[in-house]
């Protein structure tokens, strides 16, 4: 009987350790490569304005997020190696300053550290720190979202609006996969004096491309859209 009890206790403990290991090391199904439109970041930050009053006019990296199909906001904050800027070569750092700037407070390494800690650590078994940032930069370079939209005459405009599919279609045509768009609503204080059509429209904020487990092959993003599907989208 004693023997049976200790075996059960051992199995329970082993399972608990295994569970903790899986949770902390992060298991994921695919990657979301998230690019953001800096003017929207700055537009919605009314309490703490962006450090640069003239935000960049091109899509830049927000992050590369290992994600689960069952819960795309997981995993996050996994165990793993701490961020060390010196692990990134000077050449890569200067590339990241273009592709992955901190568009809110101007502290690029702190932004990279935050993204590595929250997301990168969860896929460290696939991409170490150097590879994680290198691969993200390559993804940014391989599809220039700003140019793809410009070629489809989708350029920042104070009053014009687009539908979700107007914006997705040209990206889909070039990447041959379905991206995801995310929008933000402008703060109420900025929409009071606008005509109703514009006051209710959402601002394009992020374009997400999805990659397979190895971060090598583009795949369709199959999450539900992060923009109201039936609502006009402004790009400003
Ligand atoms: P996540 O933490 O899941 O990567 O993304 C959400 C957070 O990223 C938000 O708190 C948002 O403010 C932050 N974020 C997005 N873009 C930037 C940026 O350019 N700089 C900084 N410092 N934070 C950013």
């Amino acid at each position: 009987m004693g023997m049976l009890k200790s075996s059960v206790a051992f199995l329970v403990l082993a399972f608990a350790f295994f569970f903790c290991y899986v949770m902390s090391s992060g298991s994921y199904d695919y990657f979301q490569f998230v690019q953001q439109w800096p003017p929207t970041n700055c537009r919605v930050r009314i309490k703490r304005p962006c450090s640069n009053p003239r935000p960049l006019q091109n899509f830049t990296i927000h992050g590369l997020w290992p994600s689960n199909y069952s819960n795309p906001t997981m995993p996050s904050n996994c165990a793993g190696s701490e961020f060390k800027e010196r692990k990134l070569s000077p050449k890569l750092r200067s590339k990241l300053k273009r592709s992955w700037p901190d568009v809110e407070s101007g502290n690029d390494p702190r932004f990279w550290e935050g993204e590595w800690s929250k997301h990168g650590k969860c896929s460290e078994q696939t991409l170490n720190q150097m590879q994680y940032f290198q691969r993200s930069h390559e993804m940014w370079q391989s599809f220039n979202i700003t140019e793809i939209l410009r070629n489809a005459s989708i350029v920042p405009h104070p009053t014009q609006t687009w539908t979700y599919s107007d914006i997705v279609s040209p990206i889909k045509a070039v990447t041959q996969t379905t991206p995801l768009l995310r929008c933000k609503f402008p703060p109420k204080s900025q929409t009071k004096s606008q005509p109703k059509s514009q006051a209710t429209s959402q601002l394009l904020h992020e374009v997400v491309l999805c990659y397979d487990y190895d971060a090598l092959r583009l795949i369709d993003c199959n999450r539900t859209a992060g923009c109201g599907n039936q609502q006009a989208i402004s790009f400003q």
Side-chain angles (χ1 to χ4, degrees):
M1 189 64 182
M3 186 81 166
L4 184 69
K5 262 190 185 162
S6 52
S7 303
V8 170
F10 174 78
L11 278 175
V12 168
L13 260 173
F15 179 76
F17 274 118
F18 178 72
F19 184 74
C20 289
Y21 171 77
V22 168
M23 290 309 283
S24 65
S25 68
S27 68
Y28 67 95
D29 301 318
Y30 70 105
F31 283 96
Q32 296 187 71
F33 176 58
V34 185
Q35 298 184 61
Q36 58 188 2
W37 178 247
T40 301
N41 286 54
C42 297
R43 176 94 181 262
V44 299
R45 268 170 78 92
I46 38 176
K47 290 204 177 110
R48 283 179 303 140
C50 284
S51 56
N52 183 353
R54 290 172 56 84
L56 291 168
Q57 295 280 311
N58 60 286
F59 281 87
T60 57
I61 302 173
H62 178 168
L64 179 63
W65 303 345
S67 307
N68 284 326
Y69 284 121
S70 56
N71 180 358
T73 64
M74 288 297 281
S76 72
N77 298 305
C78 304
S81 71
E82 291 312 307
F83 177 80
K84 295 229 165 45
E85 205 184 334
R86 62 177 162 71
K87 287 191 182 169
L88 311 179
S89 66
K91 198 170 167 196
L92 178 57
R93 266 180 261 167
S94 79
K95 287 181 188 167
L96 293 173
K97 284 191 164 295
R98 273 190 304 123
S99 60
W100 201 334
D102 175 347
V103 299
E104 296 182 356
S105 43
N107 188 336
D108 302 339
R110 202 177 56 192
F111 184 32
W112 305 336
E113 177 171 13
E115 290 297 305
W116 170 259
S117 302
K118 187 167 177 186
H119 303 283
K121 278 181 180 181
C122 299
S123 52
E124 199 169 5
Q125 65 270 40
T126 309
L127 301 170
N128 66 26
Q129 231 172 98
M130 174 77 182
Q131 292 164 333
Y132 177 79
F133 287 98
Q134 177 75 44
R135 190 71 198 100
S136 300
H137 179 79
E138 286 164 5
M139 289 173 178
W140 178 79
Q141 263 191 324
S142 53
F143 298 103
N144 183 333
I145 300 294
T146 320
E147 199 176 285
I148 292 173
L149 295 184
R150 193 187 306 127
N151 290 341
S153 303
I154 301 172
V155 288
H157 192 279
T159 53
Q160 194 175 352
T161 59
W162 289 268
T163 65
Y164 190 90
S165 82
D166 287 339
I167 300 175
V168 158
S169 298
I171 301 173
K172 207 169 166 173
V174 173
T175 62
Q176 299 291 303
T177 51
T178 308
L180 193 74
L181 306 181
R182 287 217 271 261
C183 294
K184 284 211 188 267
F185 282 97
K188 288 226 161 53
S189 57
Q190 293 176 13
T191 56
K192 272 186 195 140
S193 57
Q194 285 181 331
K196 196 162 182 278
S197 60
Q198 272 171 50
T200 55
S201 73
Q202 47 193 339
L203 298 166
L204 179 61
H205 180 224
E206 293 182 323
V207 173
V208 183
L209 300 179
C210 295
Y211 283 82
D212 68 351
Y213 185 88
D214 296 321
L216 291 173
R217 201 174 55 86
L218 266 172
I219 55 173
D220 288 329
C221 296
N222 69 355
R223 285 185 71 180
T224 45
C227 296
N229 222 342
Q230 307 301 327
Q231 234 161 347
I233 299 177
S234 300
F235 181 36
Q236 297 178 356

